Amino acid sequence: AMKGLMRWAQDMYVAEDDLWKIWNFLGESYKLNRAYTNALAKGLIKKNQIPSQIELYQEAARIVRNTVPNYAYVSNFVQGMRRSPLGNFVSFPAEIIRTSANIVEEGLKQTKNPIFARNGYERLFGAALAWATIPPMLYAGAKGLYGITEDKVQAMRELVAPWSVDSTLLPYRNEDGTYGYVDFSHGFFYDTVTNPVQAVINGVNANKDQPLVTGLAHGMV
């Protein structure tokens, strides 16, 4: 019975993963069709230059493979890391790094093509919004909601668990006047990409009485 339960849980996990791939595939297919329709209307291409629907589906599938985490693309090195004492949750961060680089590369490539320029700018804007806007926006909102100053947040960082020191913390105040926090980084998909930047910022803030390069070096390490 336990084996059956574990098998069902694994199947549900795979199905949930596939759901996002299907959703992105439909979105990419729509945007490719939109791009060629608009290009035809603007006179950039002729009707006989529009690829077949199956070719557009194949291109959409290629983009999804390169921009959505897919454990089938995890390298042998990372698979070996999963079996090491260093930890077994390394495939997802590895895929986030791979797909993040591919998102930027795909976006830049599309912006240089008049037919796909809109798709490329939308992709780059979406990536920038997810990586650089969402965490600071939530952080500033939480501070403002509870009236918590930056100095108090830095004081909290001195007491949090070591693995949360460089995370994006969402502070809050309890009814009895005590403080708490939510470690947003552990629920944010792209923290693997943004956390190094946060670590540098925290390193500089934590070493205000020392030369700037000291805090910068500490954060980079």
Side-chain angles (χ1 to χ4, degrees):
M2 287 301 297
K3 286 183 179 180
L5 179 62
M6 292 296 293
R7 193 178 306 113
W8 176 84
Q10 182 172 316
D11 289 343
M12 290 300 101
Y13 181 82
V14 172
E16 184 268 343
D17 238 23
D18 290 343
L19 179 65
W20 293 110
K21 293 183 179 70
I22 295 169
W23 178 265
N24 279 272
F25 171 76
L26 295 175
E28 294 294 344
S29 300
Y30 166 78
K31 288 192 289 185
L32 289 173
N33 278 289
R34 181 191 63 185
Y36 278 107
T37 300
N38 292 341
L40 181 64
K42 294 178 181 178
L44 298 177
I45 58 173
K46 297 180 179 179
K47 192 170 184 179
N48 60 1
Q49 294 178 295
I50 299 178
S52 66
Q53 191 60 52
I54 189 66
E55 289 175 320
L56 293 180
Y57 283 154
Q58 290 172 340
E59 175 63 9
R62 181 194 68 80
I63 295 174
V64 171
R65 283 199 305 270
N66 290 333
T67 58
V68 178
N70 188 331
Y71 297 137
Y73 287 86
V74 174
S75 68
N76 291 332
F77 174 77
V78 174
Q79 291 183 24
M81 289 284 289
R82 291 170 58 185
R83 297 175 175 84
S84 75
L86 299 178
N88 57 5
F89 195 71
V90 292
S91 296
F92 186 76
E95 275 300 281
I96 287 295
I97 294 172
R98 181 185 74 88
T99 55
S100 296
N102 288 341
I103 287 171
V104 175
E105 182 180 5
E106 188 71 31
L108 292 174
K109 184 174 70 175
Q110 288 182 326
T111 57
K112 297 177 182 178
N113 188 322
I115 298 176
F116 305 116
R118 178 179 173 181
N119 293 2
Y121 285 117
E122 286 179 353
R123 192 180 309 281
L124 294 175
F125 177 78
L129 180 67
W131 298 341
T133 305
I134 293 178
M137 181 177 64
L138 292 176
Y139 172 66
K143 283 203 309 177
L145 184 64
Y146 290 97
I148 299 176
T149 64
E150 184 66 28
D151 289 338
K152 289 182 179 179
V153 175
Q154 291 303 321
M156 291 170 62
R157 288 189 182 278
E158 297 179 6
L159 302 174
V160 301
W163 54 83
S164 294
V165 170
D166 294 320
S167 297
T168 299
L169 303 181
L170 305 183
Y172 62 86
R173 193 200 307 265
N174 295 310
E175 293 182 0
D176 60 0
T178 59
Y179 294 93
Y181 68 91
V182 174
D183 190 336
F184 177 71
S185 293
H186 286 282
F188 183 49
F189 297 149
Y190 289 102
D191 183 71
T192 303
V193 178
T194 61
N195 192 270
V197 179
Q198 181 68 40
V200 171
I201 295 173
N202 292 339
V204 172
N205 289 336
N207 293 273
K208 290 182 178 180
D209 297 331
Q210 299 180 20
L212 179 63
V213 67
T214 303
L216 185 63
H218 175 79
M220 291 179 68
V221 171

